[in-house]
Amino acid sequence: MAAENSYIEISGTVLAVIYHNDENGYTVLRLKDQDGGKLTVTGYMPLPSPGELLAVKGNWSRHLVHGEQFKAEYAQLSMPKGAEAIYGYLASGAIRGIGPATAALIVSRFGEESLNIIEYHPEKLTEIKGIGYRKAGEMSESLRRQTGLRRLLEFLAGNELRPQYAMRLYRFYGNAAMDVLRENPYVLSMDHIGASFSEADTLALNLGFEADSPERIAAAIIFELAHNSDNGHCFIPRGKLVDATARLIYVESREVREGLDMLVDEGEVICEHIAGVEGCYLKRLHAAEVYTARRITEMADAHFKIGPEVDSFIAQIESEQGISFAPQQRRILQNAARRQIMVITGGPGTGKTTSIRAILSLYDRMGLTALLTAPTGRAAKRMSELTGREASTIHRLLEAGFSGDGNEVIFRRDESEPLECDAVILDECSMVDIELISALLLALPADCRLVLVGDADQLPSVGPGNVFLDIIRSGIVETVRLTEIFRQQKESSIVKNAHMINRGEYPDLSQTSGDFFFIRRRDGGRAVDTIVELCSKRLPENMGIDPMDIQVLSPTRRYDTGTYNLNLRLQEALNPPHKTKNEKKIGEITFREGDRVMQIKNNYDIMWKKADNTAAGTGIYNGDVGQIISIEPEEGIIIVDFDGRLATYTADMLPELEHAWAMTVHKSQGSEYRAVILSALKGAPMLLSRAVLYTAVTRARELLIIVGDDEIVVQMIDNHRQTRRYSGLRARLAAIGG
């Protein structure tokens, strides 16, 4: 995005509104500037109307179809001045109950005072024939709503804050939004408004809040806890939290401790001794961890009585599938029948999917209804393909959505309306964070079985917690670790090398046949050129692999071989500009019809429908990958196909999308691709780890190619240090279970 000091400023009068989205304020309008010129302006301008005065900051852009337009990054609307402009505004229908004829009567009677009369003295409108007290009141209320939002917009624009925050503030706080904002500007940084702590902090300081004000210190503490939850931590030790907050806002530690005590007294932060430290939690994370520990412990203590028919069922399954179960697999089936909760873990090729199929067959014979679920859409789709049964994401299973005020995520399925099933099998459990597992447990019927399946050696969840490992290491849940590689998988170099990497051994990078290859490129530029050539020419032409079946992975977003640059180069090679392809630019990123894209945050309100119109729903989730099938640049509308679900994105939602020709290894978790190309060069030491390499290798189904420096590969295998996550689940499970 352009630097603010490079923005052009333009002001004028709104002539006509071409397009306006009431939900997010995105607008396309015609403006008459001060020199009499007419131009098209696009941007976020809640409730604009003809006749209003508009000042915008932004830059010129060229639309493929509609030509030159002015893209406003900041906008400030003002009420019209002068009888002629006021008439144009009222005649446009901006005020409910006022059309051209009524507008003419009002302006003829009150002139330049018309807007003031409507807003503050609506009873005077009854002097005009045809306007009664009720109608006058409705006109006044309509104008007050608009002026309230407009003044909020003007206030934010005057402080160089984005206008879309005004719509969110007004939607949540109504006419009290301005008072709320002045009283505590840090509401801007709350999740439902979406501004950064830095933006809220700058506004607060500009409004005269002291650097050590209680509001500022409280907001900074909450920010630190939320920021660290994004890094995987459920809590932060009290001393570390105090020190980090003091450094963030340059105040004394004593003042932070006092602010923390205040938040604890108010119940916004929970502090308790856990895992050997004094841990400080956000209230929601503490509740999720405590409930998860209690429910899992209760389930671990529960057993079902089973009869000799279970052994008979297992024998029938062996006969039906033409196999003889190994002792570990037989133990899995016995546990699935007898225990309310169990864990199955193991690396690639060790039979996790075979175990899931066998459990499903057993539950069928026992007359139990089982549901299949996984954390991501891709993982659920893969689960469906491998089992032949329908699987859904956890969010969709629990019917996720936003609360009525838009402030928090809620799940319709919970203890008051539980899932209708006897068992749930959860795959890719290493990806599940503490809030998601808590929500799932809350929705299980009291006697429902739960089977947790995953690879404990893969990377942990992106969200807070270390749920899968904590459950396994606590020792209170029956766990079966599969170690034997199936005969049909032993010939796969991908599987063999994945297990070698996991054991800390070095694979043979010189092999020239099979499904695992290494191409040495120690220069970043040459490595990128090779990756682009592999995707665009060598694999499609020599091996018949479609570029859409190839996934490029990198440990990092940065550097030449990080995902940002790789996506630019791959888009240029695989989906170049063409006069038949519409585009939409946001900041320095250009989205183009045909692009592969990924949703990077959970959005429970995105509308989607099946391509064949057989179903519709809401919700696209973090990690979902799709393809842009159409763009309407003027309105900023993009349609993305997520495996047959067509989702509509407006311009303000585009920051939730990024290109997915290349993605980080972390983002690839839970997915499997026909071919994977891994970039292995420069990166932060914490990203160049054995777990990252192991996770990347296990994403490939038929072909894996590593492009990079063999010394980096060795470095990753040697780096088995695991970054500590502050989680209390293991300690709670051990304490309750013990």
Side-chain angles (χ1 to χ4, degrees):
M1 186 169 289
E4 283 189 33
N5 58 15
S6 69
Y7 287 148
I8 300 167
E9 297 186 34
I10 294 177
S11 60
T13 303
V14 177
L15 293 176
V17 177
I18 300 169
Y19 172 81
H20 177 71
N21 185 316
D22 288 331
E23 286 299 312
N24 57 52
Y26 182 77
T27 304
V28 181
L29 57 78
R30 292 289 288 170
L31 186 75
K32 181 179 180 180
D33 67 22
Q34 292 176 319
D35 298 325
K38 298 177 182 178
L39 60 144
T40 300
V41 178
T42 67
Y44 296 92
M45 292 160 272
L47 300 175
S49 295
E52 291 182 302
L53 304 177
L54 175 65
V56 291
K57 290 182 181 180
N59 285 292
W60 291 99
S61 63
R62 177 161 291 279
H63 188 280
L64 289 174
V65 177
H66 302 286
E68 197 168 47
Q69 298 178 337
F70 190 84
K71 182 182 178 183
E73 296 292 341
Y74 298 91
Q76 184 169 2
L77 281 164
S78 303
M79 296 302 284
K81 293 178 173 60
E84 183 179 351
I86 291 173
Y87 168 75
Y89 170 68
L90 294 177
S92 71
I95 305 300
R96 183 182 299 175
I98 301 178
T102 305
L105 292 172
I106 293 173
V107 174
S108 174
R109 179 89 174 199
F110 301 110
E112 295 185 2
E113 288 297 307
S114 295
L115 295 178
N116 186 56
I117 293 295
I118 296 171
E119 185 171 5
Y120 297 109
H121 306 286
E123 70 279 358
K124 293 187 177 182
L125 293 173
T126 61
E127 298 172 11
I128 298 172
K129 186 177 181 180
I131 300 179
Y133 283 101
R134 180 178 176 180
K135 187 173 182 180
E138 291 173 350
M139 293 175 181
S140 181
E141 175 60 29
S142 179
L143 179 59
R144 280 199 299 271
R145 181 182 183 278
Q146 291 201 34
T147 53
L149 178 56
R150 200 163 275 110
R151 285 165 185 153
L152 184 62
L153 179 64
E154 291 173 10
F155 176 75
L156 293 181
N159 287 277
E160 298 190 328
L161 288 162
R162 306 208 177 275
Q164 51 264 53
Y165 300 151
M167 182 65 80
R168 297 170 191 165
L169 282 163
Y170 198 86
R171 187 182 300 147
F172 192 74
Y173 297 108
N175 289 326
M178 181 65 80
D179 292 336
V180 170
L181 189 58
R182 286 187 178 278
E183 183 178 338
N184 184 3
Y186 294 99
V187 298
L188 279 171
S189 60
M190 294 173 67
D191 289 343
H192 62 290
I193 306 300
S196 67
F197 172 79
S198 176
E199 288 176 306
D201 196 39
T202 299
L203 175 62
L205 295 176
N206 288 343
L207 291 177
F209 279 72
E210 298 294 335
D212 60 353
S213 68
E215 295 87 353
R216 185 172 190 245
I217 292 172
I221 292 169
I222 296 296
F223 166 76
E224 281 292 341
L225 288 171
H227 174 73
N228 279 283
S229 74
D230 290 339
N231 292 330
H233 301 295
C234 289
F235 69 83
I236 299 297
R238 184 182 178 97
K240 288 182 179 291
L241 176 60
V242 169
D243 291 345
T245 306
R247 288 195 303 271
L248 174 69
I249 57 175
Y250 301 103
V251 298
E252 296 294 326
S253 296
R254 172 186 57 79
E255 295 169 317
V256 177
R257 285 194 290 271
E258 291 173 356
L260 179 56
D261 289 340
M262 179 188 71
L263 288 170
V264 171
D265 289 342
E266 294 174 349
E268 292 300 313
V269 174
I270 309 296
C271 290
E272 67 171 298
H273 192 79
I274 189 73
V277 298
E278 184 71 14
C280 297
Y281 290 80
L282 290 172
K283 180 171 61 176
R284 58 183 171 82
L285 294 181
H286 181 266
E289 192 176 274
V290 169
Y291 175 77
T292 298
R294 179 174 63 80
R295 185 71 196 276
I296 286 178
T297 303
E298 291 171 353
M299 294 176 73
D301 288 339
H303 294 74
F304 298 99
K305 290 183 178 180
I306 59 172
E309 68 274 7
V310 169
D311 288 330
S312 175
F313 291 155
I314 293 174
Q316 291 173 25
I317 297 169
E318 286 181 311
S319 175
E320 182 182 276
Q321 297 184 4
I323 59 176
S324 177
F325 289 130
Q328 282 184 322
Q329 292 170 318
R330 187 172 292 275
R331 179 180 159 205
I332 285 172
L333 291 172
Q334 292 283 354
N335 286 331
R338 182 184 297 113
R339 296 185 178 274
Q340 188 172 10
I341 185 171
M342 64 170 296
V343 169
I344 304 170
T345 186
T350 57
K352 295 190 298 296
T353 301
T354 300
S355 298
I356 292 174
R357 289 198 200 100
I359 291 172
L360 285 170
S361 186
L362 176 62
Y363 285 162
D364 287 344
R365 286 169 166 80
M366 294 175 66
L368 302 178
T369 300
L371 298 178
L372 302 182
T373 189
T376 67
R378 290 228 160 201
K381 182 181 179 183
R382 178 169 170 261
M383 197 179 188
S384 295
E385 292 169 347
L386 293 174
T387 62
R389 305 283 188 99
E390 182 181 355
S392 65
T393 63
I394 301 174
H395 288 89
R396 192 156 291 118
L397 182 72
L398 302 183
E399 300 177 34
F402 276 120
S403 58
D405 56 21
N407 188 31
E408 62 179 336
V409 176
I410 60 171
F411 297 97
R412 194 171 74 84
R413 295 291 185 173
D414 56 20
E415 74 275 28
S416 63
E417 192 171 352
L419 296 167
E420 297 171 5
C421 62
D422 303 302
V424 170
I425 301 176
L426 169 59
D427 199 9
E428 297 289 352
C429 196
S430 63
M431 299 178 63
V432 179
D433 63 39
I434 191 65
E435 290 185 286
L436 202 50
I437 194 68
S438 173
L440 177 62
L441 290 167
L442 198 64
L444 296 183
D447 58 352
C448 182
R449 292 167 167 82
L450 178 62
V451 180
L452 304 176
V453 185
D455 187 342
D457 295 312
Q458 286 186 22
L459 292 166
S461 60
V462 174
N466 209 2
V467 172
F468 198 44
L469 268 180
D470 281 351
I471 292 173
I472 293 172
R473 290 173 174 172
S474 72
I476 73 163
V477 175
E478 179 70 18
T479 299
V480 178
R481 182 180 287 272
L482 299 170
T483 56
E484 183 180 352
I485 303 174
F486 276 15
R487 183 168 59 252
Q488 59 266 39
Q489 297 286 345
K490 286 183 177 179
E491 296 181 3
S492 167
S493 295
I494 294 174
V495 172
K496 181 180 70 175
N497 288 332
H499 285 273
M500 289 181 67
I501 290 167
N502 201 31
R503 294 192 297 267
E505 302 169 7
Y506 308 123
D508 180 7
L509 299 181
S510 64
Q511 68 180 65
T512 57
S513 62
D515 54 12
F516 185 107
F517 298 92
F518 175 78
I519 301 176
R520 180 181 289 106
R521 296 287 187 270
R522 290 180 172 170
D523 173 74
R526 288 192 64 211
V528 173
D529 289 342
T530 299
I531 291 170
V532 171
E533 184 183 12
L534 285 166
C535 291
S536 60
K537 294 182 180 179
R538 290 167 63 177
L539 295 187
E541 293 175 4
N542 298 337
M543 301 187 68
I545 301 178
D546 189 288
M548 297 301 286
D549 291 331
I550 304 168
Q551 184 59 60
V552 176
L553 302 179
S554 174
T556 181
R557 298 177 62 89
R558 300 172 56 206
Y559 310 112
D560 287 349
T561 52
T563 58
Y564 181 82
N565 185 55
L566 282 167
N567 271 314
L568 292 176
R569 291 288 308 278
L570 289 166
Q571 182 194 37
E572 180 184 15
L574 300 175
N575 192 33
H578 193 275
K579 62 183 180 181
T580 63
K581 295 179 181 179
N582 285 332
E583 297 181 350
K584 176 65 181 177
K585 192 175 180 68
I586 177 167
E588 297 183 3
I589 301 298
T590 299
F591 291 110
R592 184 175 299 129
E593 289 175 347
D595 276 346
R596 183 194 294 175
V597 292
M598 175 170 54
Q599 175 77 11
I600 59 173
K601 63 179 290 188
N602 291 331
N603 188 323
Y604 306 93
D605 285 345
I606 295 181
M607 301 290 295
W608 59 263
K609 64 178 182 179
K610 287 284 190 178
D612 58 6
N613 288 317
T614 57
T618 60
I620 300 293
Y621 305 112
N622 187 4
D624 285 353
V625 174
Q627 186 174 20
I628 296 176
I629 59 171
S630 70
I631 297 177
E632 179 46 62
E634 186 172 325
E635 288 83 2
I637 302 295
I638 290 182
I639 306 296
V640 182
D641 184 348
F642 291 97
D643 290 324
R645 290 176 294 133
L646 305 185
T648 301
Y649 287 76
T650 53
D652 64 307
M653 296 158 61
L654 295 186
E656 297 180 11
L657 286 178
E658 64 180 31
H659 285 107
W661 305 105
M663 68 176 69
T664 62
V665 177
H666 282 81
K667 286 289 188 182
S668 73
Q669 285 177 265
S671 299
E672 186 180 72
Y673 310 96
R674 182 180 177 188
V676 168
I677 300 173
L678 173 65
S679 166
L681 273 160
K682 190 186 301 185
M686 64 180 294
L687 296 175
L688 299 180
S689 70
R690 185 186 302 175
V692 169
L693 180 60
Y694 174 74
T695 301
V697 170
T698 54
R699 299 308 91 205
R701 184 171 69 247
E702 296 180 18
L703 178 67
L704 176 82
I705 302 175
I706 301 177
V707 178
D709 188 339
D710 48 346
E711 293 181 4
I712 293 293
V713 175
V714 170
Q715 178 184 332
M716 294 178 79
I717 294 171
D718 288 344
N719 179 14
H720 194 41
R721 292 174 299 173
Q722 295 181 337
T723 303
R724 179 179 181 183
R725 287 191 167 198
Y726 290 112
S727 163
L729 180 60
R730 180 184 177 185
R732 293 183 196 279
L733 288 170
I736 301 173

